[in-house]
Amino acid sequence: MRRFLLLYATQRGQAKAIAEEICEKAVARGFSADLHCISESDKYDLKTETAPLVLVVSTTGDGDPPDTARKFVKEIQDKTLPADFFAHLRYGLLGLGDSEYTYFCNGGKIIDKRLRELGAQRFCDTGHADDCVGLELVVEPWIDGLWAALTKHFMSSRGKQEMNGALTMASNGSWRTDPMKPELLHIESQVELLRLDDSGRKNSEVLEQNAVNGGQSNALVADCESSLTRSIPPLSQASLHIPALPPEYLQVHLQEPLGQEESQVSVTSVDPIFQVPISEAVQLTTNDAIKTTLLVELDISKTDFSYQPGDAFNVICPNNDSEVQNLLQRLQLEDRREHRVLLQIKADTKKKGASLPQHVPEGCSLQFILTWCLEIRAVPKKAFLRALVDYTSNGAEKRRLQELCSRQGAADYNRFVRDACASLLDLLLAFPSCQPPLSVLLEHVPKLQPRPYSCASSSLFHPGKLRFIFNVVEFLSNTATVVLRKGVCTGWLATLVESLLQPHTCASHANGGRALAPEISISPRTTNCFHLPNDPSVPIVMVGPGTGIAPFIGFLQHREKLQEQHPDGHFGAMWLFFGCRYEDRDYLFREELRRFHKLGVLTHLKVSFSRDASAGEEEAPAKYVQDNIRLHSKQVARVLLQEDGCIYVCGDAKNMAKDVNDTLVEIISKEAGVEKLEAMKTLATLKEEKRYLQDIWS
């Protein structure tokens, strides 16, 4: 066996799942993968590693490597390391990211760049997979090409030797093994670079079969529209390359309930968990606003939870109760919802390094696990669909699931599963003959992630309190049937605070005579540099449309208290660019912002209304925040380029953050009289100096 070291750096389990897939496929290709999380530094040593290294690295936050890679990155960033420190290493890297964010795949790029600086050389091209269009568009061909690249590496490093059949097949792939030219590194979509020949796919099952047309002619089928449950030619008549069946590894035993109490404390978390009461809830928007925005205040006075303005924290939330009950019903496990779930690794499993899922606490009830531990809304991956195939009895349904997980059915998978936000429950309802065991669900459904929120207060201004704001997310899940769903966390929070809720016209102060305060569990988020400058004389520009205003309310409250405490102090200018749809419906914190402006805490308040025919007091011919920034390009450029100021951007990554970034490039180019590329470099420098900070989400 030809051994390689396989490391993954994961935030939400995506990189781990892909690394495990590589590990499983390696054996059939004649390789042996030594699989570890990148944080398990006691289990590998790159300084002495002689085998090729393969890394799968995700990206989190504002283009950061995942938390599991923090220590690794810090160690390799050591400036005292010599330029040939990793000269002996040959590596291949697959980066995962989302092009809706400005710093696409940056977690992988940081590690890739530093490995090369320390002398390591690639034995295959770096892949950049984009979750915005579907990771598998890059992941699948990259993995296929990995075998050819490894084969070439072993042939060149050990001389020509007899290769087994699997290696010969792997070498047939049309894979570039020369290092990628630097000028191509910026290309975010690697689909064209990574287009491969299918001929060597030994680890797939090739299905030479046609769809069951039920006696209909091809012309009639062609007239039908495809859907989640039905395909049309050419896919319905195609031979399919489907993934190998993921090896099952869990054995589940359901034990009679013991009647013990269960609490959210059973939820696994690397960070400390605090249970805190909700002390206040206010609706910030009018009832006719397009989105409902709520402010929730938590009482943290009896805990040692602490925060700075700009910090974010996690809310630990449950799945929707009716969805959990529907899933139990569909799995025919309704009568065993209170049974304790006991897990073991199957004695005969073929899964290498199989381990019990850490997010499923031992001995908890099935209902608790489905409610608090599993992301049942997660879009099922193709490997999950492949596993479901073998538990589907109806021929037409089986074929359709095979199509959806096949390479040929990639477009249908994206359209009807991924883009439609199809959940496990949606699939099980659409394919009634599919009867998977609980073990398969526990193997494939990921951990229910806590939801992050920005702190919208300062502890100086609201001692013992923590405030945050959110839009109640609503969306259509258009699968077999159209369903209006609310966000997992925001829908739950909105229901939870109904008894406390005050209308937007109420002053947001003490809430007398309220109902018994419900409690929620929160945990701190450890990595964050979205903070005010240590030097209060540094001028700052804040850009935060919609709920992106949250951290800046904390900034302004904090600054007001500092100015009260130091009346003779020198405080830098504070600019705020805020935007919303309508001045009279969703202008969040309008009175507070005007008060900050009147006090001189907020030096410049620039507001844009995207749907109003005419604006109000802060009227300007600007529809969006970037338009207002452009109108004040000289002042913004002066703050950033001459006064060593900072700019903070908070809110939507998909459109706003990109548009603001492009506008900043434009105004730096114009005001500094430099080319666009030079302006982009200037922005990159500001980011490195922590003077251009983003807190963005999709």
Side-chain angles (χ1 to χ4, degrees):
M1 283 285 189
R2 285 153 179 80
R3 174 187 166 275
F4 65 94
L5 177 61
L6 177 55
L7 301 179
Y8 62 86
T10 193
Q11 188 72 22
R12 297 194 164 193
Q14 195 88 274
K16 181 183 180 184
I18 291 167
E20 287 176 341
E21 181 186 347
I22 293 171
C23 186
E24 286 157 13
K25 289 180 174 179
V27 179
R29 298 284 181 163
F31 298 103
S32 170
D34 200 358
L35 176 67
H36 301 292
C37 177
I38 203 165
S39 62
E40 298 174 314
S41 53
D42 57 322
K43 296 182 180 175
Y44 65 90
D45 186 0
L46 296 189
K47 294 192 291 291
T48 58
E49 186 59 69
T50 56
L53 167 66
V54 175
L55 301 109
V56 184
V57 182
S58 65
T59 299
T60 188
D62 180 22
D64 300 314
D67 293 346
T68 52
R70 223 182 312 156
K71 184 182 173 189
F72 176 85
V73 170
K74 187 178 179 183
E75 287 173 353
I76 64 171
Q77 297 283 25
D78 183 350
K79 295 285 192 286
T80 64
L81 294 177
D84 61 351
F85 188 71
F86 285 142
H88 60 286
L89 266 187
R90 300 294 177 270
Y91 76 97
L93 187 144
L94 174 61
L96 312 180
D98 187 329
S99 60
E100 288 188 348
Y101 289 80
T102 308
Y103 300 99
F104 171 63
C105 275
N106 203 49
K109 288 175 181 177
I110 288 170
I111 293 174
D112 192 16
K113 179 172 180 276
R114 187 57 179 154
L115 288 177
R116 280 183 295 147
E117 288 173 353
L118 294 173
Q121 294 179 41
R122 297 195 193 106
F123 70 83
C124 73
D125 287 333
T126 296
H128 295 145
D130 186 0
D131 200 28
C132 183
V133 296
L135 292 173
E136 69 281 353
L137 291 180
V138 168
V139 171
E140 290 176 6
W142 191 89
I143 293 174
D144 285 348
L146 177 63
W147 314 128
L150 281 168
T151 300
K152 182 170 180 179
H153 169 83
F154 283 115
M155 284 181 72
S156 62
S157 62
R158 297 181 185 177
K160 287 189 178 180
Q161 52 188 278
E162 186 179 350
M163 309 294 279
N164 63 34
L167 289 172
T168 305
M169 292 189 76
S171 66
N172 288 334
S174 56
W175 179 247
R176 291 183 41 177
T177 54
D178 54 308
M180 193 188 296
K181 294 174 184 175
E183 60 268 26
L184 295 180
L185 284 174
H186 71 284
I187 298 174
E188 306 296 28
S189 174
Q190 302 288 313
V191 178
E192 289 301 317
L193 279 176
L194 299 171
R195 184 167 288 168
L196 294 170
D197 187 327
D198 266 342
S199 58
R201 194 170 176 81
K202 182 182 176 186
N203 206 35
S204 292
E205 297 173 20
V206 181
L207 302 179
E208 301 289 346
Q209 65 178 77
N210 291 324
V212 180
N213 288 336
Q216 290 180 315
S217 69
N218 290 345
L220 282 173
V221 176
D223 286 341
C224 293
E225 280 194 24
S226 56
S227 68
L228 176 63
T229 55
R230 184 180 61 240
S231 63
I232 58 174
L235 179 59
S236 61
Q237 297 168 344
S239 298
L240 303 174
H241 289 258
I242 71 169
L245 181 66
E248 295 183 6
Y249 64 95
L250 285 181
Q251 191 172 311
V252 179
H253 176 63
L254 292 177
Q255 192 177 78
E256 290 282 347
L258 299 176
Q260 77 269 33
E261 283 282 317
E262 290 176 311
S263 74
Q264 297 166 32
V265 178
S266 304
V267 176
T268 56
S269 170
V270 292
D271 298 309
I273 294 177
F274 300 88
Q275 242 182 315
V276 293
I278 295 173
S279 51
E280 187 179 351
V282 181
Q283 182 173 318
L284 299 179
T285 48
T286 57
N287 291 332
D288 58 349
I290 292 171
K291 293 180 180 178
T292 300
T293 306
L294 303 183
L295 176 146
V296 170
E297 182 183 83
L298 305 175
D299 184 349
I300 58 171
S301 59
K302 293 181 173 61
T303 73
D304 58 359
F305 185 97
S306 62
Y307 70 96
Q308 293 182 56
D311 276 348
F313 66 99
N314 288 323
V315 172
I316 295 164
C317 60
N319 286 308
N320 178 274
D321 186 56
S322 66
E323 289 175 41
V324 171
Q325 304 319 317
N326 290 340
L327 185 56
L328 283 164
Q329 196 172 10
R330 175 60 182 80
L331 295 170
Q332 298 173 2
L333 290 169
E334 226 178 347
D335 58 337
R336 286 184 279 178
R337 68 178 71 194
E338 299 301 333
H339 280 52
R340 295 171 67 220
V341 176
L342 303 177
L343 299 181
Q344 284 180 298
I345 299 295
K346 277 189 168 183
D348 58 348
T349 184
K350 292 176 182 171
K351 182 179 175 70
K352 190 176 177 184
S355 61
L356 296 177
Q358 295 299 300
H359 56 279
V360 179
E362 191 178 348
C364 284
S365 71
L366 177 57
Q367 169 115 6
F368 180 87
I369 288 167
L370 291 179
T371 303
W372 290 98
C373 306
L374 300 181
E375 190 88 55
I376 62 173
R377 280 265 190 95
V379 174
K381 304 294 179 202
K382 288 186 176 183
F384 194 3
L385 268 59
R386 174 63 189 89
L388 295 178
V389 166
D390 285 25
Y391 295 99
T392 305
S393 56
N394 177 278
E397 290 181 12
K398 189 168 195 156
R399 163 73 191 197
R400 183 54 175 155
L401 285 170
Q402 288 167 338
E403 289 171 351
L404 290 170
C405 70
S406 71
R407 178 169 295 182
Q408 290 77 6
D412 273 21
Y413 172 83
N414 285 343
R415 181 180 173 191
F416 299 116
V417 181
R418 188 175 175 277
D419 297 343
C421 299
S423 66
L424 168 62
L425 181 59
D426 292 326
L427 287 178
L428 292 178
L429 293 175
F431 298 93
S433 78
C434 181
Q435 300 290 343
L438 181 59
S439 58
V440 170
L441 269 62
L442 293 174
E443 287 170 1
H444 288 277
V445 179
K447 177 185 178 181
L448 177 57
Q449 296 289 340
R451 278 23 182 194
Y453 293 94
S454 298
C455 301
S457 55
S458 163
S459 55
L460 291 183
F461 201 91
H462 293 287
K465 307 292 186 190
L466 167 61
R467 292 180 160 204
F468 66 105
I469 64 173
F470 58 89
N471 291 326
V472 181
V473 176
E474 292 185 326
F475 64 97
L476 290 175
S477 176
N478 191 3
T479 50
T481 56
V482 178
V483 181
L484 179 65
R485 287 185 173 146
K486 290 189 176 182
V488 172
C489 192
T490 62
W492 170 66
L493 286 170
T495 303
L496 204 60
V497 302
E498 273 177 349
S499 62
L500 299 177
L501 199 60
Q502 303 172 48
H504 77 287
T505 50
C506 285
S508 59
H509 288 295
N511 185 5
R514 63 179 180 273
L516 186 66
E519 290 192 342
I520 67 170
S521 293
I522 62 171
S523 65
R525 281 175 70 82
T526 46
T527 55
N528 191 22
C529 52
F530 199 85
H531 294 144
L532 282 165
N534 291 327
D535 179 358
S537 68
V538 172
I540 67 169
V541 176
M542 302 171 286
V543 184
T547 55
I549 187 76
F552 305 132
I553 294 298
F555 281 11
L556 290 163
Q557 289 177 353
H558 202 74
R559 178 60 68 84
E560 180 181 341
K561 286 297 176 185
L562 288 180
Q563 290 187 198
E564 284 177 8
Q565 293 167 7
H566 306 281
D568 298 325
H570 176 46
F571 295 93
M574 295 185 89
W575 287 75
L576 174 64
F577 292 92
F578 174 71
C580 59
R581 290 180 176 84
Y582 300 98
E583 183 181 14
D584 61 346
R585 299 185 204 177
D586 54 5
Y587 186 167
L588 309 180
F589 300 103
R590 176 170 54 187
E591 299 312 316
E592 289 92 329
L593 291 176
R594 288 175 176 168
R595 189 181 69 82
F596 287 131
H597 192 219
K598 189 176 178 182
L599 286 172
V601 173
L602 178 57
T603 329
H604 306 277
L605 174 60
K606 306 299 173 186
V607 185
S608 47
F609 306 102
S610 62
R611 306 274 178 95
D612 264 348
S614 61
E617 290 172 30
E618 297 84 10
E619 184 171 1
K623 197 172 183 181
Y624 301 109
V625 284
Q626 61 269 22
D627 301 327
N628 245 334
I629 293 170
R630 202 176 283 113
L631 285 172
H632 300 87
S633 60
K634 285 189 186 302
Q635 298 97 312
V636 171
R638 186 174 66 245
V639 167
L640 297 179
L641 304 179
Q642 295 169 30
E643 299 174 1
D644 293 329
C646 300
I647 183 163
Y648 300 82
V649 180
C650 183
D652 164 49
K654 190 174 182 179
N655 299 307
M656 183 277 298
K658 276 189 171 181
D659 291 341
V660 168
N661 191 78
D662 292 346
T663 302
L664 290 174
V665 169
E666 179 190 316
I667 67 172
I668 289 171
S669 174
K670 175 187 163 191
E671 301 300 334
V674 296
E675 294 293 321
K676 183 180 175 182
L677 185 61
E678 194 59 39
M680 291 169 75
K681 286 180 181 175
T682 300
L683 265 192
T685 302
L686 290 177
K687 187 173 188 295
E688 282 177 19
E689 294 173 350
K690 306 292 185 196
R691 293 204 291 124
Y692 175 20
L693 295 152
Q694 293 180 307
D695 179 5
I696 56 178
W697 57 83
S698 59

